[in-house]
Structure formats: structure tokens, C-alpha cells
Amino acid sequence: MIRAVGFDLDDTLAVTDVDRDVLLRRAAETAGVSPVPDREAYLDAHRRHSGTASREPVFEALVGPADAAAFTAAYREAVGEALVPVEGAESALAELRERHRVGLLTDGPDGTQRDKLRRLGWADTFDAVVVTGAIGTPKPGPAAFAALLESLGVGAAEAVYVGDHPERDISGAAAAGLWPVQVLYDGGPDPHPDAAATVPRSDLRALPGRIEGLGGCTDDA
């Protein structure tokens, strides 16, 4: 029986309504950084240097220590201002909470990710929130999913995990024993073979029905 549903945050439940390349340029202009690093350089630095408290190590790798703090703050603000819930996400979360415990497992610095929840008005939406920067082990590592399960008080076979990234979310959840549900969108990754089900990001209202089909539900929320 499915007793809990965990979620990824970025590109699953929330997106920016402005392209990330544009946000990076805006942040660079605000911080007075030139030349502006491109998105690929940012992503590469993010993979190698993401910090536990903030993204400052990422920007230090990109532009050096002198401009890193200002660039970090400007980018965090730019992303926060552009962040919006995916259509249907809030209604799906509300419906799922009627029958399940609902949690969040998100990669990134703790302060950054919790600021996103505050901006979205979701500070009290989840029964448990695990930010991997705070525990020092990102997805797809099994310890990240174990922390989510512990916070929700359920076993792996009793939990669904919903995310968009094939390796971090879907393969990682499957390896940890959860039921992975992949969120698909135009221009995004293809369905991963480990996905137990898929749902279009444009139709998140259908998610509770997908979860019903995986293992039923229980009234023990």
C-alpha cells in the first residue's frame, strides 16, 4: 500500500517563467559581472562545486572570489522572483495530502531551497522537507532517499517519488526501492525505463490517479 508521496521541486512542481539563461544574465548585470558566463559553464560549475549553505562556491568557480557573493545573491533573487508553481501542482498536492503523507526531497543549498518554498507559499505544504545540501548527500545517492523515508516514517515499498530527472530522480528512487513516477514535458528527457509511471507536467492533476494505479492508497495519513 502506498502511504507516502515524495517530490522533487525544481522543474517538477515549480518552474521559472523566465528562461534560466536570461536570469543568469540579469544576475550578472545586477552584480556588475563581465563577461557573463553562459548556462553550460554555470551547470558545469554547479556539478563540481555546489555548496551546502549557498551557491557561492559555484559562482566563485565561475567568476572568482571577488564577485562571487554579489553574483550569488543576485542570481538567487532573480530565480526567486521568476519561480512559479506548475499548473495543477497545488491541487494535486492538496488531493494527495487527504490520503497520504507528502514530502519533498530537493537538491541544493538548504537556505536557497527553503527560500523557494517560502516564495511559493509552500512552507507548510509538506509533512517533511529534506534538502540534500543540509545532509551532504545529493540525489541519486541512496542516503538522500533514506532521509526522506525516515522523515515520512514509511518504508521504501510504501512510497512513491515524483521527479523529472531520469538519473537523479527516477533511477535514484528505483535503486532505493521507491516507486518512481517521471514528470515529462516538451523538450525534456525521454521516459526512463525505471519509471513505474509517467505523468505530463502539463497535467499534474492526473497524478493522484497515476499513484492509485501503483499500489492503492490508505487512510493512514
Side-chain angles (χ1 to χ4, degrees), residues 15 83 94 116 136 174 185 192 216 221:
V15 294
L83 197 67
K116 291 176 182 177
Y185 53 92
H192 192 283

PDB file of all heavy atoms in Angstrom, residues 15 83 94 116 136 174 185 192 216 221:
ATOM      1  N   VAL A  15       8.590  25.971 -11.695  1.00  0.00           N
ATOM      2  CA  VAL A  15       9.451  26.363 -12.818  1.00  0.00           C
ATOM      3  C   VAL A  15       9.636  27.871 -12.776  1.00  0.00           C
ATOM      4  O   VAL A  15       8.887  28.584 -12.100  1.00  0.00           O
ATOM      5  CB  VAL A  15       8.841  25.946 -14.176  1.00  0.00           C
ATOM      6  CG1 VAL A  15       8.773  24.435 -14.310  1.00  0.00           C
ATOM      7  CG2 VAL A  15       7.447  26.560 -14.358  1.00  0.00           C
ATOM      8  N   LEU A  83      10.117  32.340 -10.023  1.00  0.00           N
ATOM      9  CA  LEU A  83       9.627  31.000  -9.719  1.00  0.00           C
ATOM     10  C   LEU A  83       8.108  30.983  -9.569  1.00  0.00           C
ATOM     11  O   LEU A  83       7.540  31.809  -8.847  1.00  0.00           O
ATOM     12  CB  LEU A  83      10.275  30.501  -8.428  1.00  0.00           C
ATOM     13  CG  LEU A  83      10.214  29.002  -8.148  1.00  0.00           C
ATOM     14  CD1 LEU A  83      11.049  28.230  -9.159  1.00  0.00           C
ATOM     15  CD2 LEU A  83      10.704  28.719  -6.735  1.00  0.00           C
ATOM     16  N   ALA A  94      -2.773  18.987  -2.669  1.00  0.00           N
ATOM     17  CA  ALA A  94      -3.879  19.010  -1.714  1.00  0.00           C
ATOM     18  C   ALA A  94      -4.660  17.704  -1.735  1.00  0.00           C
ATOM     19  O   ALA A  94      -5.021  17.160  -0.676  1.00  0.00           O
ATOM     20  CB  ALA A  94      -4.803  20.185  -2.026  1.00  0.00           C
ATOM     21  N   LYS A 116      12.880  29.207  -1.695  1.00  0.00           N
ATOM     22  CA  LYS A 116      11.942  28.952  -2.787  1.00  0.00           C
ATOM     23  C   LYS A 116      10.576  28.535  -2.236  1.00  0.00           C
ATOM     24  O   LYS A 116       9.529  29.002  -2.721  1.00  0.00           O
ATOM     25  CB  LYS A 116      12.484  27.870  -3.718  1.00  0.00           C
ATOM     26  CG  LYS A 116      13.690  28.295  -4.537  1.00  0.00           C
ATOM     27  CD  LYS A 116      14.214  27.134  -5.368  1.00  0.00           C
ATOM     28  CE  LYS A 116      15.448  27.525  -6.161  1.00  0.00           C
ATOM     29  NZ  LYS A 116      16.002  26.386  -6.922  1.00  0.00           N
ATOM     30  N   GLY A 136      24.397  16.732   3.141  1.00  0.00           N
ATOM     31  CA  GLY A 136      25.668  16.428   2.489  1.00  0.00           C
ATOM     32  C   GLY A 136      25.663  15.246   1.551  1.00  0.00           C
ATOM     33  O   GLY A 136      26.720  14.695   1.232  1.00  0.00           O
ATOM     34  N   ALA A 174      14.295   4.407  -7.839  1.00  0.00           N
ATOM     35  CA  ALA A 174      14.141   2.968  -8.094  1.00  0.00           C
ATOM     36  C   ALA A 174      15.203   2.167  -7.350  1.00  0.00           C
ATOM     37  O   ALA A 174      14.901   1.124  -6.745  1.00  0.00           O
ATOM     38  CB  ALA A 174      14.218   2.692  -9.595  1.00  0.00           C
ATOM     39  N   TYR A 185       7.863  16.616 -19.991  1.00  0.00           N
ATOM     40  CA  TYR A 185       7.484  17.907 -20.567  1.00  0.00           C
ATOM     41  C   TYR A 185       8.163  18.080 -21.911  1.00  0.00           C
ATOM     42  O   TYR A 185       9.170  17.415 -22.218  1.00  0.00           O
ATOM     43  CB  TYR A 185       7.859  19.050 -19.626  1.00  0.00           C
ATOM     44  CG  TYR A 185       9.301  19.045 -19.165  1.00  0.00           C
ATOM     45  CD1 TYR A 185      10.289  19.741 -19.863  1.00  0.00           C
ATOM     46  CD2 TYR A 185       9.670  18.342 -18.023  1.00  0.00           C
ATOM     47  CE1 TYR A 185      11.606  19.739 -19.439  1.00  0.00           C
ATOM     48  CE2 TYR A 185      10.989  18.332 -17.589  1.00  0.00           C
ATOM     49  CZ  TYR A 185      11.952  19.028 -18.297  1.00  0.00           C
ATOM     50  OH  TYR A 185      13.255  19.023 -17.875  1.00  0.00           O
ATOM     51  N   HIS A 192      12.299   7.269 -18.566  1.00  0.00           N
ATOM     52  CA  HIS A 192      13.355   6.354 -18.123  1.00  0.00           C
ATOM     53  C   HIS A 192      12.752   4.959 -17.938  1.00  0.00           C
ATOM     54  O   HIS A 192      11.620   4.828 -17.453  1.00  0.00           O
ATOM     55  CB  HIS A 192      13.957   6.850 -16.816  1.00  0.00           C
ATOM     56  CG  HIS A 192      15.223   6.164 -16.431  1.00  0.00           C
ATOM     57  ND1 HIS A 192      15.250   4.895 -15.885  1.00  0.00           N
ATOM     58  CD2 HIS A 192      16.520   6.556 -16.532  1.00  0.00           C
ATOM     59  CE1 HIS A 192      16.511   4.545 -15.643  1.00  0.00           C
ATOM     60  NE2 HIS A 192      17.300   5.540 -16.034  1.00  0.00           N
ATOM     61  N   GLY A 216      -2.543   1.279  -4.795  1.00  0.00           N
ATOM     62  CA  GLY A 216      -3.677   1.615  -3.943  1.00  0.00           C
ATOM     63  C   GLY A 216      -3.330   2.726  -2.992  1.00  0.00           C
ATOM     64  O   GLY A 216      -2.300   3.380  -3.094  1.00  0.00           O
ATOM     65  N   ALA A 221      -2.900   8.578   7.052  1.00  0.00           N
ATOM     66  CA  ALA A 221      -2.097   9.674   6.507  1.00  0.00           C
ATOM     67  C   ALA A 221      -0.910   9.985   7.409  1.00  0.00           C
ATOM     68  O   ALA A 221      -0.958   9.921   8.580  1.00  0.00           O
ATOM     69  CB  ALA A 221      -2.962  10.919   6.354  1.00  0.00           C
TER      70      ALA A 221
END
